[in-house]
Amino acid sequence: VMRWKTVFLLWLVGASTGCVHTMVTSLEKVILDAKKNFVETVKLNHGLGAGFAVWWILTAAVMLVSLGLTLNISPVAAGSGIPQMKTQLTGATIKGYLSFRTLVAKICGLVCSVGAGMYIGQEGPFVHIASALANCFIYMKGFGEPFKRIRENKPVKLAILEAACAVGVSSTFRSPIGGVLFAIEVTSTYYMVANYWKGFLAAFSASLMSHVIEMIISLFDTDSSDSKGTFEFDPVFRIPYNTTTYTSLEDIYATTSYEIWEIPLFIILGVFMGYCGSFMVRLNAKLSRFKSRIMTECRPATKEIVWTLMAATITSVCYLFGNFATESYHDNILAMISPSDLDTGKWTVPQFILDWDWGDQGVIFPLFLFFLSNLILVSLSLTVAVPCGCFVPLFAGGAAFGRIVGEAVQYWAPTATSTPGGYALVGAAALTAGGTRTVSVAVIAVELTGELEYILPLFLGVFASCIMGSRYSPSIYDSILKARK
Amino acid sequence: VMRWKTVFLLWLVGASTGCVHTMVTSLEKVILDAKKNFVETVKLNHGLGAGFAVWWILTAAVMLVSLGLTLNISPVAAGSGIPQMKTQLTGATIKGYLSFRTLVAKICGLVCSVGAGMYIGQEGPFVHIASALANCFIYMKGFGEPFKRIRENKPVKLAILEAACAVGVSSTFRSPIGGVLFAIEVTSTYYMVANYWKGFLAAFSASLMSHVIEMIISLFDTDSSDSKGTFEFDPVFRIPYNTTTYTSLEDIYATTSYEIWEIPLFIILGVFMGYCGSFMVRLNAKLSRFKSRIMTECRPATKEIVWTLMAATITSVCYLFGNFATESYHDNILAMISPSDLDTGKWTVPQFILDWDWGDQGVIFPLFLFFLSNLILVSLSLTVAVPCGCFVPLFAGGAAFGRIVGEAVQYWAPTATSTPGGYALVGAAALTAGGTRTVSVAVIAVELTGELEYILPLFLGVFASCIMGSRYSPSIYDSILKARK
């Protein structure tokens, strides 16, 4: 009976996280799109200056809402969630960390902080949300307290929480395998192999649930020409093969391979991304220390408000340097890892930036700005007391730098069979690995693009990045944990 | 210095296993093809009876060579290797198990036992080979004893051996991710997460080395029209999309999806495969006990020879029931998981079997025979004192049964978007999971076909199989360990 209850609970955690994830993502998109459209209208009617002002005010306002929700409902809802879950899984408890109150604060705060258009990801917060959901189910009072025996059995309870962490990562990327591995890497020191299946079961329940929800939505979507009620495993970033460019299968196979002289390039890219990841970790630690030293005589809430406004202002300035700041991470990453050319029309950047650029596409400089702003602004965002993760921003920043390398390879060696998108994928995984110091990022990258072709460069890049990064700093999670102590 | 030496040693283990694997596979193919061609000639000239006799004699002869090599050089080289490595990794030692002598015996014995055409896989033996290689490097006397410090540091030594196990699995299937996970599942109880990267590094070194070897071979292959010196991540069982059937990308995406009502079918398939896996484990335990009881007054060597001859005879009888027994596992699995129709011409079966068949393809009955013979004969093969694994035969048997289900679905629901090959893949993973009781088989199945589309059915089938299987028997590895005690 215990076993079947465990299976049911795991399914429940996975399925409910899948539902929450769909809801949160939709709400974020609604806020982001509303903001973008409003600013576009203002810009058209009143010029760039007014557009920027409105963009700035809206970013700051939505961030303050997020801060208010976090501070007033549950201050422990701030931050990523992964470092704290690592502490929780050792058996120690942070008071109220997995309560229903914190769950509500985290969900609402996350919707606002991502919706504000900050350099914030949602994978760390989702680890927290899934764990809090699991905890709420375990301590549920209604329905005859179905999981009472699990509550009293500490090893089983911890195993369920560990599986919930896996669900959190998996549901963000719809990458069940990589999600489980990533969760193991960042939250555990010793792993009990017999608990393996629990993580996978919960992660696949989440995956199945988000598929079912999508299918149900597609049934009501009368405009869609897709086959209704059909199940398709659709990676979040399925590379959209441009059917006008690639008409035959041979073309695709040809474009997704690489040549042996490119292997060292992937490794060098990994090494550099490792340094950059460490730089991000160290900058974050410096900013944290700086924040704790200033305004010591103010009320903590005042200090948080000032700090949040400062972060929102700095982030908004990026708007002046190019429209990529107004696109969602999903769209930006998709554009970069795609084998097709970058759509320069969509990424409008001021003329003075384009004048500095080399290459006939005019995308190198905007890409570099995107990479740099991600690296710096994510370390700033992580110090703000709102729910925020660093995985997705690092992934996007790495993709931008990888794309630069890929475009350069195409420029100097046009006969190369690789695509710039392949370099973008390797760069994305390597920078994320440099910050989080995990190998399983490579697995996530494989899963979320559905491309097994780049598995070898991905792992080589990630290894190089992890080895180099660990010489200069701990992982971002360990660094945050250290700062808390 | 220690760290870089570890990295170098891991690379060395991976690369050398990759070399050995290429060599062993080529030699097995040479023996198998020579045997097949000779028998075909005899059959043409002297009829089926003479063909069968020659087939039988050759099978028995090559098996006796394998037995002789194993018994005379190192008797501990017999069997799979996974149960023994599980013991080794707890810190206990089996005398001479990882010696150079055993390594030679295992490699030569494996070439013969697989080349004989028995129902024998090479993934368990390769776990042993990779571990023995690692151990030989660690205890190497020449070159100034480079790994002396690793030898004296027991935790590091065990971590290297654990990584070597991962290499063994990965190199068999060229599935680095699934290989590492499978090795963790079957050899560890608690896993130290900090050792994660060691397994991946070694596994990818093996993968890279086998790519390099292939590339070098392709450079000398003047007939090949493939682009020379180009790297392609080529899964072992890359499903060959028939370009005459599938001309556009939409076709492929369409054929690799499935509908929601098929999900329960995948789960039921998994449940049945779980029962079958348990049946195989129990039959193997029964045969082991039977073998240990008979001929107790004979010399052990005599008993082994008689038992081997008996196994070879029973296996050869399958030859009469269809030519699938003469194909390699690689070709059979590839045919079954492919979305194209099965080539019935290749699988010649006697007319009296075809007369019983239903369906217009005439493949159901041969497939069922293949499934049944794999299930029974692999449990028999595992009791013979030669190097042998059970992973690949179980995978092939499951693929055959899954294909039957897939063909039935196509027959009764021709509008279904799934392909029979998808069911074959799920069946293959589920039967293997039922025997080995591992979740990571699903990851291996994903990796070796390069198909992420079936990730959800694969995991559902594997879960169902593991849960059902564990009600009736332990895993095959635990069962073998228990019998040894």
Side-chain angles (χ1 to χ4, degrees):
Chain A
V1 176
M2 181 81 168
R3 185 156 200 180
W4 287 110
K5 276 200 175 164
T6 311
V7 169
F8 176 66
L9 179 58
L10 289 168
W11 174 81
L12 199 62
V13 172
S16 53
T17 310
C19 291
V20 172
H21 184 260
T22 313
M23 198 186 72
V24 168
T25 314
S26 316
L27 283 176
E28 282 166 10
K29 209 173 142 53
V30 167
I31 301 182
L32 214 58
D33 284 353
K35 189 180 146 190
K36 196 170 120 186
N37 290 335
F38 184 62
V39 171
E40 284 298 314
T41 320
V42 172
K43 213 167 97 180
L44 271 176
N45 297 332
H46 307 278
L48 183 67
F52 170 68
V54 172
W55 180 262
W56 176 28
I57 291 166
L58 285 178
T59 304
V62 182
M63 277 302 278
L64 285 182
V65 172
S66 177
L67 181 70
L69 285 167
T70 312
L71 287 184
N72 289 315
I73 306 182
S74 173
V76 287
S80 159
I82 289 176
Q84 293 87 341
M85 281 315 297
K86 193 171 183 172
T87 314
Q88 291 270 10
L89 285 177
T90 61
T93 13
I94 301 167
K95 202 174 163 287
Y97 194 67
L98 298 176
S99 65
F100 184 69
R101 206 182 158 86
T102 308
L103 177 65
V104 173
K106 193 96 186 188
I107 293 175
C108 300
L110 182 66
V111 168
C112 294
S113 63
V114 176
M118 295 285 285
Y119 288 75
I120 281 175
Q122 58 179 28
E123 130 289 342
F126 256 94
V127 167
H128 187 183
I129 290 172
S131 307
L133 269 171
N135 198 59
C136 290
F137 284 129
I138 293 173
Y139 284 93
M140 189 164 60
K141 285 275 178 282
F143 305 103
E145 305 195 48
F147 307 119
K148 205 176 169 184
R149 282 182 58 198
I150 291 174
R151 188 190 309 172
E152 288 154 4
N153 190 334
K154 203 167 179 185
V156 175
K157 203 183 113 187
L158 286 179
I160 301 273
L161 287 181
E162 187 143 25
C165 292
V167 170
V169 185
S170 309
S171 60
T172 315
F173 288 122
R174 265 197 233 158
S175 60
I177 301 169
V180 173
L181 300 186
F182 185 82
I184 291 174
E185 271 195 278
V186 293
T187 59
S188 308
T189 310
Y190 274 91
Y191 192 75
M192 203 185 150
V193 178
N195 284 337
Y196 232 49
W197 65 274
K198 296 200 178 86
F200 278 113
L201 181 63
F204 273 94
S205 305
S207 178
L208 185 58
M209 184 49 76
S210 64
H211 278 108
V212 169
I213 295 173
E214 243 174 43
M215 204 198 64
I216 292 170
I217 292 172
S218 83
L219 284 177
F220 290 99
D221 185 4
T222 45
D223 299 335
S224 168
S225 61
D226 290 351
S227 46
K228 283 160 205 281
T230 301
F231 241 47
E232 268 189 61
F233 181 82
D234 193 20
V236 178
F237 298 108
R238 158 85 76 179
I239 299 178
Y241 289 117
N242 187 336
T243 37
T244 57
T245 320
Y246 305 101
T247 43
S248 79
L249 292 165
E250 284 70 29
D251 276 0
I252 291 175
Y253 284 138
T255 50
T256 51
S257 62
Y258 45 89
E259 286 170 55
I260 197 159
W261 58 263
E262 299 185 71
I263 295 276
L265 286 180
F266 289 120
I267 294 175
I268 294 167
L269 176 62
V271 168
F272 184 68
M273 292 291 101
Y275 282 113
C276 294
S278 284
F279 167 76
M280 191 282 286
V281 174
R282 292 173 75 137
L283 184 61
N284 172 258
K286 278 216 176 82
L287 286 169
S288 281
R289 278 200 299 276
F290 176 71
K291 186 187 167 191
S292 67
R293 276 203 305 269
I294 56 160
M295 294 175 70
T296 38
E297 64 281 5
C298 293
R299 278 176 54 222
T302 319
K303 180 172 158 180
E304 292 298 348
I305 291 171
V306 171
W307 189 262
T308 307
L309 284 176
M310 188 272 298
T313 309
I314 295 178
T315 306
S316 299
V317 171
C318 280
Y319 178 74
L320 291 173
F321 289 104
N323 264 1
F324 51 79
T326 63
E327 301 289 329
S328 71
Y329 274 125
H330 178 271
D331 295 343
N332 276 326
I333 295 176
L334 195 53
M336 286 171 207
I337 62 178
S338 153
S340 345
D341 286 345
L342 281 175
D343 181 2
T344 41
K346 201 171 153 196
W347 285 23
T348 47
V349 281
Q351 192 55 43
F352 72 93
I353 289 176
L354 285 182
D355 290 346
W356 296 343
D357 214 340
W358 62 268
D360 47 25
Q361 296 196 20
V363 290
I364 305 303
F365 210 77
L367 279 173
F368 188 73
L369 274 181
F370 184 68
F371 160 69
L372 208 64
S373 60
N374 261 291
L375 210 55
I376 294 168
L377 293 177
V378 72
S379 47
L380 178 63
S381 296
L382 281 174
T383 60
V384 178
V386 296
C388 61
C390 64
F391 193 106
V392 183
L394 284 177
F395 201 85
F401 193 84
R403 184 84 194 195
I404 297 175
V405 176
E407 297 282 350
V409 170
Q410 284 281 306
Y411 188 81
W412 280 301
T415 56
T417 52
S418 64
T419 78
Y423 283 90
L425 193 60
V426 174
L431 184 59
T432 318
T436 61
R437 226 50 60 66
T438 51
V439 178
S440 41
V441 180
V443 182
I444 294 181
V446 165
E447 270 189 284
L448 62 88
T449 56
E451 265 309 296
L452 274 164
E453 200 73 31
Y454 275 85
I455 195 168
L456 189 64
L458 274 170
F459 266 92
L460 291 175
V462 162
F463 280 133
S465 173
C466 283
I467 290 173
M468 282 302 137
S470 61
R471 300 181 71 159
Y472 296 97
S473 78
S475 79
I476 181 73
Y477 306 120
D478 287 339
S479 167
I480 291 174
L481 265 186
K482 220 172 113 189
R484 294 266 156 109
K485 270 172 196 160
Chain B
V1 177
M2 179 82 167
R3 184 157 202 180
W4 287 111
K5 275 201 176 162
T6 310
V7 169
F8 176 66
L9 178 58
L10 288 169
W11 174 82
L12 200 61
V13 172
S16 53
T17 310
C19 291
V20 172
H21 184 259
T22 313
M23 198 187 73
V24 167
T25 314
S26 317
L27 282 177
E28 282 166 9
K29 209 173 143 51
V30 167
I31 299 182
L32 214 57
D33 284 353
K35 190 180 146 192
K36 195 169 119 187
N37 291 335
F38 184 61
V39 171
E40 283 299 313
T41 319
V42 171
K43 212 166 99 181
L44 270 176
N45 297 331
H46 307 278
L48 182 69
F52 170 68
V54 172
W55 181 262
W56 174 30
I57 291 165
L58 285 178
T59 306
V62 182
M63 277 301 279
L64 285 182
V65 172
S66 175
L67 182 71
L69 286 166
T70 313
L71 287 184
N72 289 314
I73 306 182
S74 172
V76 286
S80 159
I82 290 175
Q84 293 88 340
M85 281 314 296
K86 193 170 183 174
T87 313
Q88 292 268 9
L89 287 177
T90 61
T93 14
I94 301 166
K95 200 171 165 288
Y97 194 68
L98 299 176
S99 66
F100 184 70
R101 206 181 157 88
T102 308
L103 178 65
V104 173
K106 193 96 186 187
I107 293 175
C108 301
L110 182 65
V111 168
C112 294
S113 62
V114 177
M118 294 288 283
Y119 288 75
I120 281 176
Q122 58 180 29
E123 129 289 341
F126 256 94
V127 168
H128 187 182
I129 290 172
S131 307
L133 269 170
N135 197 61
C136 290
F137 285 130
I138 292 174
Y139 284 93
M140 189 163 60
K141 286 274 180 280
F143 305 104
E145 305 195 49
F147 308 118
K148 204 178 170 185
R149 282 183 58 199
I150 290 173
R151 187 189 313 173
E152 286 153 5
N153 189 335
K154 201 165 181 188
V156 175
K157 202 184 113 188
L158 285 180
I160 301 272
L161 286 182
E162 187 143 25
C165 291
V167 169
V169 185
S170 309
S171 61
T172 315
F173 288 122
R174 266 197 232 157
S175 61
I177 303 169
V180 173
L181 300 186
F182 185 81
I184 291 174
E185 272 196 277
V186 292
T187 59
S188 308
T189 310
Y190 274 92
Y191 191 74
M192 204 184 151
V193 178
N195 285 336
Y196 232 48
W197 65 273
K198 298 200 178 87
F200 279 113
L201 181 63
F204 272 94
S205 306
S207 177
L208 185 59
M209 185 48 76
S210 64
H211 278 107
V212 169
I213 295 173
E214 243 174 45
M215 205 198 61
I216 293 170
I217 292 172
S218 84
L219 285 177
F220 290 98
D221 185 3
T222 45
D223 299 334
S224 168
S225 62
D226 290 350
S227 46
K228 282 159 206 282
T230 301
F231 242 45
E232 268 188 61
F233 181 81
D234 193 19
V236 179
F237 297 108
R238 159 86 75 183
I239 298 177
Y241 289 116
N242 187 336
T243 37
T244 57
T245 320
Y246 305 101
T247 43
S248 80
L249 292 166
E250 282 72 28
D251 276 358
I252 291 175
Y253 284 137
T255 49
T256 50
S257 63
Y258 45 89
E259 287 170 55
I260 197 158
W261 57 262
E262 298 185 71
I263 295 275
L265 285 181
F266 288 122
I267 295 175
I268 294 168
L269 176 62
V271 168
F272 184 67
M273 291 292 100
Y275 282 112
C276 293
S278 284
F279 166 76
M280 191 281 285
V281 174
R282 292 174 75 139
L283 184 62
N284 173 256
K286 278 216 177 81
L287 286 169
S288 280
R289 278 199 301 275
F290 176 71
K291 187 186 167 191
S292 68
R293 275 203 305 269
I294 55 159
M295 293 175 72
T296 37
E297 65 280 10
C298 292
R299 279 176 54 224
T302 318
K303 180 172 159 179
E304 293 297 349
I305 291 172
V306 171
W307 189 262
T308 307
L309 283 176
M310 187 271 297
T313 308
I314 295 177
T315 307
S316 299
V317 171
C318 280
Y319 178 74
L320 289 174
F321 290 103
N323 263 2
F324 50 80
T326 63
E327 302 289 328
S328 71
Y329 273 124
H330 178 272
D331 295 342
N332 277 326
I333 295 176
L334 195 52
M336 285 172 209
I337 63 178
S338 153
S340 346
D341 286 345
L342 282 175
D343 182 0
T344 40
K346 202 171 154 197
W347 284 23
T348 47
V349 280
Q351 192 56 43
F352 71 95
I353 288 176
L354 285 182
D355 289 345
W356 298 343
D357 215 339
W358 60 269
D360 46 27
Q361 296 195 20
V363 289
I364 304 304
F365 210 77
L367 279 173
F368 188 73
L369 274 180
F370 184 65
F371 160 70
L372 207 64
S373 60
N374 261 290
L375 210 56
I376 294 168
L377 293 177
V378 72
S379 45
L380 177 63
S381 295
L382 282 174
T383 60
V384 178
V386 297
C388 61
C390 64
F391 193 104
V392 183
L394 283 177
F395 202 84
F401 193 84
R403 184 85 195 195
I404 296 175
V405 176
E407 297 282 351
V409 170
Q410 284 281 304
Y411 188 82
W412 280 301
T415 56
T417 52
S418 65
T419 77
Y423 282 90
L425 193 59
V426 174
L431 184 60
T432 318
T436 61
R437 226 51 59 68
T438 52
V439 177
S440 42
V441 180
V443 182
I444 295 181
V446 165
E447 270 189 286
L448 63 88
T449 56
E451 265 308 296
L452 275 164
E453 199 72 32
Y454 275 87
I455 195 168
L456 189 65
L458 274 171
F459 266 92
L460 291 176
V462 163
F463 280 134
S465 173
C466 283
I467 291 174
M468 281 303 136
S470 61
R471 299 180 72 159
Y472 296 97
S473 78
S475 79
I476 180 75
Y477 306 121
D478 288 339
S479 167
I480 291 174
L481 265 187
K482 220 172 111 190
R484 294 267 156 108
K485 271 173 196 159

Short mmCIF file of all heavy atoms in Angstrom, two decimals, chain A residues 61 299 378 442:
data_model
loop_
_atom_site.label_atom_id
_atom_site.label_comp_id
_atom_site.label_asym_id
_atom_site.label_seq_id
_atom_site.Cartn_x
_atom_site.Cartn_y
_atom_site.Cartn_z
N ALA A 61 7.75 49.03 -11.84
CA ALA A 61 6.47 48.83 -11.15
C ALA A 61 6.19 47.34 -10.93
O ALA A 61 5.86 46.91 -9.82
CB ALA A 61 5.34 49.48 -11.96
N ARG A 299 15.47 50.86 7.27
CA ARG A 299 14.64 49.67 7.47
C ARG A 299 14.96 48.68 6.33
O ARG A 299 15.18 49.09 5.20
CB ARG A 299 13.16 50.04 7.39
CG ARG A 299 12.60 50.62 8.71
CD ARG A 299 11.15 51.04 8.50
NE ARG A 299 10.36 49.94 7.96
CZ ARG A 299 9.45 50.07 6.99
NH1 ARG A 299 9.27 51.24 6.43
NH2 ARG A 299 8.76 49.03 6.58
N VAL A 378 22.36 39.15 -14.74
CA VAL A 378 21.83 38.01 -13.98
C VAL A 378 22.47 37.97 -12.60
O VAL A 378 21.81 37.65 -11.61
CB VAL A 378 22.00 36.67 -14.74
CG1 VAL A 378 23.43 36.21 -14.79
CG2 VAL A 378 21.16 35.60 -14.08
N ALA A 442 24.50 19.41 -20.40
CA ALA A 442 24.65 18.88 -21.76
C ALA A 442 23.47 17.99 -22.11
O ALA A 442 22.95 18.03 -23.23
CB ALA A 442 25.96 18.13 -21.89
#
